[in-house]
Amino acid sequence: MMTPHPRNARIKGEPQQPNRFIFGDAVDAAGLEATEYLVHTAAPAFVCRLVGNDFTEFAGRDADAFASALLFDADANRSVYVCNRGLRLFDFVFTGDIPTAARLQAICDEAMSTYQRLHEAYAEREVGPRPREMRQGPTEPLPPAERSLAIRTLREAARAAALDPMHRAGFAAQVQQALMGGDQAVFTEAQLSLLAEPAARALLVNSARDAIAFPEVVRADGTVVSFELWALPFAFSRAQGGVWWHFPLLERLETPLADALDVPEKAILWISPTLFTVDMLNERACQNLMHLASVMDAGCDFAPLDPASSRATYEAARKTQDPQLVISWLPFLVERGALPIDQARQLSRKALDAVMPLVQQAIGAEMEYGEAELFAPLPWWESLSAGVRAWNRKRLGLTVALIASKVGGLQDLEAVAEYQPELQGYEVGLKVRGSEELLARSPWLMVPDVAPDKDATWKDLCDCLREADIPLSETIVKLH
């Protein structure tokens, strides 16, 4: 607790001494001075001016190694320190004993070394964090016979775990191993083969979701760290084609995000500099997220795609004019139990206010974008669902509003939806009742998942259009 200081009290010195060398600017009546200042706080204490671009001649001026000299300017009656780094110190004002020329030159040499390190630190801060190693998960498909065996083994394990709770402890490890393998078809085919057995399939799918949402990392020393996977949904527009996904400056979000969410000081919160779009998540059915925690715990960045070829593709696509709206997610890991969901919801506005400027700066440093919107942080699967649901409604709502303004209202509108496998969702067409001509189309995406739920997506679309009182029908594509 602080109390008012009596006016006649003796001021107590601080126990922590200031840095030995302090550099800085100063202002006078005309504004910022043309020179910097150097303050030497230890004995012999002094203040002097510092300038660059100095080419005063002295014996070591052309030496490759560092060289300096303390010269005396007879005309100005003052001592001057120069070095072959183009720096000059002058106007020395001493407090206490005045050192010898050799001692002053040695101190100034140390000051120049410190000054160089200071500017290197400035440059590093401006450039951003140092590049980290980028790692990909395995993507090698199994030979057909091995794949069939792996699918059958996982399917039978799910059946056994659904019938006997004793098998469930080992079953979780089997699911995790299947997800971490290089062949995504193993889990996908296993869960599809259990469509007629809802209990076993639900156990398999929920085990996979838990393995991704609550990863555990075994470190080299044998310790186990348990995490929770969260995300910030991030929506933005682009006038160009292509979307880039790796943004090193996102690392700067970790401290302000942890502070805003009141994460305990010693608890881990790591944000991934890799942005995930719907297409990237759908490409491997979210399975490659199993590698995210171990890669980040090793101090590396996760690469869902090959960085070199992905960058080349992006650079080619960004030269085209292709207006698009993108929904994506910024994942982050929190030590398990460090962020209760109620606390996160209560502090979500504070968190968004703290990190949105940093997100915009990080994304803008690597990719041009237009408008952007950041949504509240949520646990991974809730974040995917909330982001896609909000995005679907926003896209369809804008389309309906534009059409309604042209035809004079919603009363004559109807919708026709057709499932598009390549879209991983439905294409919704809007038209006037009784007409065959579609006035506009809008996508309605499925929520990315290890087992995307087409029925849930259709129900959500029906509920949305029912609220708007717009009739909906489905077009079934017939293959001849």
Side-chain angles (χ1 to χ4, degrees):
M1 185 179 73
M2 295 189 182
T3 58
H5 216 309
R7 293 174 60 85
N8 60 348
R10 293 185 178 274
I11 301 299
K12 296 179 180 180
E14 294 294 334
Q16 182 177 356
Q17 294 294 320
N19 196 290
R20 183 181 172 192
F21 298 107
I22 301 174
F23 301 90
D25 296 315
V27 293
D28 56 18
L32 191 67
E33 290 193 24
T35 62
E36 291 184 71
Y37 280 84
L38 162 64
V39 180
H40 184 235
T41 62
F46 64 84
V47 179
C48 67
R49 286 187 169 89
L50 182 155
V51 293
N53 297 319
D54 178 82
F55 300 101
T56 302
E57 288 297 329
F58 69 97
R61 168 60 63 189
D62 298 326
D64 292 332
F66 178 81
S68 66
L70 192 66
L71 309 176
F72 181 72
D73 186 344
D75 295 336
N77 192 31
R78 64 182 180 181
S79 298
V80 176
Y81 169 90
V82 293
C83 67
N84 60 350
R85 296 294 183 265
L87 299 170
R88 181 183 188 188
L89 301 176
F90 59 100
D91 287 354
F92 291 89
V93 177
F94 296 93
T95 302
D97 296 336
I98 299 177
T100 63
R103 175 68 176 141
L104 180 59
Q105 183 177 349
I107 293 172
C108 292
D109 286 346
E110 291 182 64
M112 294 301 95
S113 176
T114 303
Y115 189 71
Q116 185 173 2
R117 293 203 312 273
L118 177 65
H119 277 264
E120 288 173 355
Y122 282 151
E124 184 175 341
R125 185 178 67 181
E126 291 300 320
V127 169
R130 293 183 178 180
R132 299 194 299 197
E133 178 187 351
M134 296 189 69
R135 295 184 181 178
Q136 290 181 271
T139 56
E140 188 68 29
L142 293 172
E146 292 184 30
R147 174 186 286 178
S148 298
L149 177 61
I151 294 169
R152 187 165 58 252
T153 301
L154 187 60
R155 181 177 62 240
E156 295 305 319
R159 287 171 173 162
L163 294 173
D164 185 357
M166 295 295 293
H167 287 85
R168 293 185 184 177
F171 177 63
Q174 285 182 273
V175 174
Q176 182 174 348
Q177 186 176 5
L179 294 175
M180 296 191 73
D183 193 338
Q184 73 182 71
V186 172
F187 177 86
T188 301
E189 293 296 331
Q191 61 92 5
L192 288 174
S193 67
L194 291 170
L195 284 172
E197 303 172 58
R201 182 175 183 271
L203 182 61
L204 176 59
V205 171
N206 289 334
S207 296
R209 289 172 178 158
D210 287 346
I212 291 171
F214 305 103
E216 293 190 340
V217 176
V218 181
R219 292 176 172 169
D221 61 1
T223 58
V224 179
V225 185
S226 299
F227 294 103
E228 297 174 9
L229 182 61
W230 289 60
L232 292 153
F234 180 63
F236 59 93
S237 61
R238 264 180 63 75
Q240 297 89 356
V243 174
W244 182 235
W245 47 262
H246 185 244
F247 305 93
L249 293 181
L250 285 175
E251 295 172 29
R252 296 177 177 176
L253 268 67
E254 291 176 352
T255 300
L257 183 60
D259 290 345
L261 293 174
D262 282 351
V263 175
E265 184 176 350
K266 294 185 179 180
I268 296 173
L269 186 152
W270 287 328
I271 191 156
S272 168
T274 299
L275 173 148
F276 287 83
T277 64
V278 171
D279 291 340
M280 290 162 62
L281 292 169
N282 285 335
E283 185 171 348
R284 295 190 61 79
C286 296
Q287 293 182 35
N288 56 354
L289 292 168
M290 277 299 304
H291 305 283
L292 187 61
S294 58
V295 168
M296 291 177 66
D297 190 69
C300 303
D301 289 349
F302 181 66
L305 306 169
D306 175 63
S309 59
S310 181
R311 187 74 193 188
T313 301
Y314 165 70
E315 291 294 345
R318 68 190 288 263
K319 297 175 183 177
T320 63
Q321 292 297 313
D322 182 18
Q324 55 182 315
L325 298 172
V326 182
I327 179 69
S328 60
W329 289 266
L330 301 173
F332 64 95
L333 290 169
V334 185
E335 209 165 337
R336 196 170 302 177
L339 183 57
I341 183 64
D342 291 339
Q343 176 179 310
R345 287 196 171 103
Q346 181 182 359
L347 298 172
S348 61
R349 173 50 56 188
K350 180 181 176 184
L352 294 178
D353 290 342
V355 303
M356 184 58 179
L358 298 174
V359 171
Q360 290 179 303
Q361 181 184 13
I363 302 297
E366 303 287 338
M367 178 178 69
E368 309 89 346
Y369 69 94
E371 295 183 358
E373 186 175 3
L374 194 65
F375 299 90
L378 288 170
W380 178 252
W381 298 114
E382 291 181 46
S383 181
L384 288 186
S385 178
V388 170
R389 283 171 59 87
W391 195 240
N392 282 340
R393 281 160 171 75
K394 185 173 183 178
R395 290 288 298 270
L396 185 58
L398 289 173
T399 305
V400 169
L402 289 173
I403 297 303
S405 65
K406 292 181 179 179
V407 300
L410 303 180
Q411 62 275 8
D412 293 327
L413 285 182
E414 66 175 343
V416 179
E418 179 181 321
Y419 181 70
Q420 301 281 355
E422 69 279 3
L423 184 67
Q424 284 286 288
Y426 288 88
E427 184 179 74
V428 182
L430 294 168
K431 63 179 183 176
V432 176
R433 294 178 192 178
S435 171
E436 295 299 322
E437 180 186 359
L438 293 179
L439 301 176
R441 291 181 174 88
S442 179
W444 189 270
L445 304 177
M446 286 197 294
V447 177
D449 197 355
V450 291
D453 193 335
K454 181 181 173 184
D455 293 337
T457 304
W458 173 254
K459 182 179 182 303
D460 190 37
L461 174 60
C462 292
D463 292 343
C464 178
L465 288 174
R466 188 180 302 115
E467 293 172 6
D469 200 23
I470 298 177
L472 171 65
S473 59
E474 183 177 6
T475 299
I476 307 296
V477 177
K478 296 181 179 180
L479 300 177
H480 298 284

